Amino acid sequence: MSDQTTPGDAADDERAHSEPDQTVPDETVPGQRPARRWPPTTRRGWVMTASASVGVLVLVVAGTWALATSVDSDASSDASATPSSTPAVGADGAPAECSVDVVIRDEWEGGFTADVAVRASAGALKGWSVMLELGDAVVDGAWDTTLARGAQGLVEAENLEYNATVAEGDEATFGFTASGTPDALSAACGGAVASAAGDGDGDADRDDPGPGDAADVAPPLNAPSGDDWLSVDGNSIIDADGNAVWLTGANWFGFNTTERVLHGLWSVNLESTIAAIAERGFNVLRVPISTELLLEWRSGNAPAASNVNAGTNPELDGATTLEAFEALLVTSKAHGLKVILDVHSAKADNAGHIAPLWTAEGITTEDFLVAWEWVAERYRDDDTIVGFDLQNEPHGKPPENPRATWGDGSDGDWRAVASEAAQRIHAVHPHALLLVEGIEATPADGEQWSSNDPGDYDITWWGGNLRLAGVQPVDGPADKVMYSPHDYGPLVYEQPWFRGSFSGASLERDVWGPTWLYLHDEGVSPLLIGEWGGRLGEDERQDRWMTYLRDLIVDRHLHHTFWVVNPNSSDTGGLLMDDWTTWDEEKYALVEPALWQDREGAFVGLDHEVPLPGGVTVTEYYESGGRPPVG
């Protein structure tokens, strides 16, 4: 989920396992409940500037200076409009200094959002930390830092792996939402690690030679099959006979996480869980994975699937993660269930989805592309995997750097990278659907990418902004490329459109329509809402949002994969309860009308030979006079 902010989740797919409790995750590890939050539209507030060496905090409020909480009782009490920074020394003896700026981006009754910038004021940094005094405020969620949900008082926020390195004069940013007021908030640079000369920054390198030759890996277990491939036709998805189909599925994360295997297999059986998903009428399963894991498989170094209960899953005793994935495909095929493979993060990490791009330290753009080519070629004869979701939730907004853009020619140009990925995948696998998500921020009408003012941008959920896809489409095979936004409710993040009165009509007019729904309504492309979902019964606005979006999905026959099967998605919960066996019947009852069914209520699968348990195949549906699911 998203899990954004993603979409972004308990262990929710991969965001918080061995790391400190990550607050932006849409995934978590057993026993952890990190929250995932997406930054909202910016509204300028007051600014705090802190210098670790001065040891005081200076507030700029309505143009006046005021002395704030001291963070170092031994430091000088002299306030300055241009504070100095605290020196730090790295292992190489080089000096490094950092300073901190805090902006209250948004404030409402009972809560606020803060953005924090850590600047390398002298020397490059290889790591940083910020000491925050929160007072009575309690953190609800954070992004791009280790700051944990539930934190209050004096706490430390540290870098994550992908934003540890900061060049001299540049800054790393993170943020958080909190319940309470920012009245007692203060911050100071708690430490910096000097970067040795010549250290790389981990950014993507288009000229990188890639990960080397692939190893000789055992072939797939499923026998070749190819009668279920799908294609794009206007705003519909059609099968090989030209009949429209409706992809109505769910997500199950784990292969993208630190554990590198489906979550829940530590307690439940793979086959029985897949059978239950199929029996409930879900005809496609979106499976998040990481580029790092794909490259491990490609190199012949598939790790052991160590987080699998061999007593419950004896067939996976001693299996590698690749063998566990093969077992998922075999089991899915046997139950008439199709798969969409989603590169959810560059790193196999519970917080990996927080990185804004498809790159991370040690993972370049070329690695990303080669990983896709390898997995596409491997499964080009197995129509169990019908589509590839190229990258989960590219995001970032000004002044964050790096951030995902669309068509501006920068290193973060997601349209350019998605176009190259689509073309290279299609060259080795011409049958698969190619799903492209949006970004977070695009320039508002009349504005330019060169602006660093968030107020000049239309900002929405991570991966949810497809405003430019209609005029700047991804350059790939027209019969395979389609778009896949994500959308969430106020319990995932308090977006501006949830703070006043809203209705399904207002959401369609002001949010969904201009951001992504126009692609369907104007016949540009099919849409698959790759992540939507959340908790019920905790906030009536959340319940209304989920009902409104469900009704839109049914009315337009939009394709979708509900977030999520996993109960360990902290900000959404799951379709399954904490025992990984019992279904949340209230949540399922909300989703069930958006699952493809015939006139008798039988669920319709996407396979032409193997029906969902108790359901019908596509062939049987049309032979009995079923109507095309179009809208």
Side-chain angles (χ1 to χ4, degrees), residues 102-117:
V102 181
V103 174
I104 301 304
R105 185 206 311 175
D106 208 356
E107 188 171 3
W108 58 92
E109 183 177 357
F112 63 93
T113 297
D115 288 332
V116 185

Side-chain angles (χ1 to χ4, degrees), residues 51-57 69-77 86 188:
S51 166
S53 62
V54 174
V56 297
L57 186 66
T69 306
S70 171
V71 296
D72 183 354
S73 60
D74 296 327
S76 166
S77 61
T86 297

Side-chain angles (χ1 to χ4, degrees), residues 211 290-300 363 367-368 370-371:
S290 72
T291 297
E292 183 177 17
L293 184 59
L294 290 176
L295 292 176
E296 289 171 348
W297 292 352
R298 179 181 180 274
S299 69
I363 305 291
D367 292 333
F368 167 77
V370 168

Side-chain angles (χ1 to χ4, degrees), residues 124-126 161-167 195-204 360-362:
L125 307 179
K126 286 190 68 178
E161 181 180 22
Y162 66 84
N163 63 358
T165 302
V166 185
S195 174
D199 279 356
D201 62 5
D203 289 341
E361 185 174 355

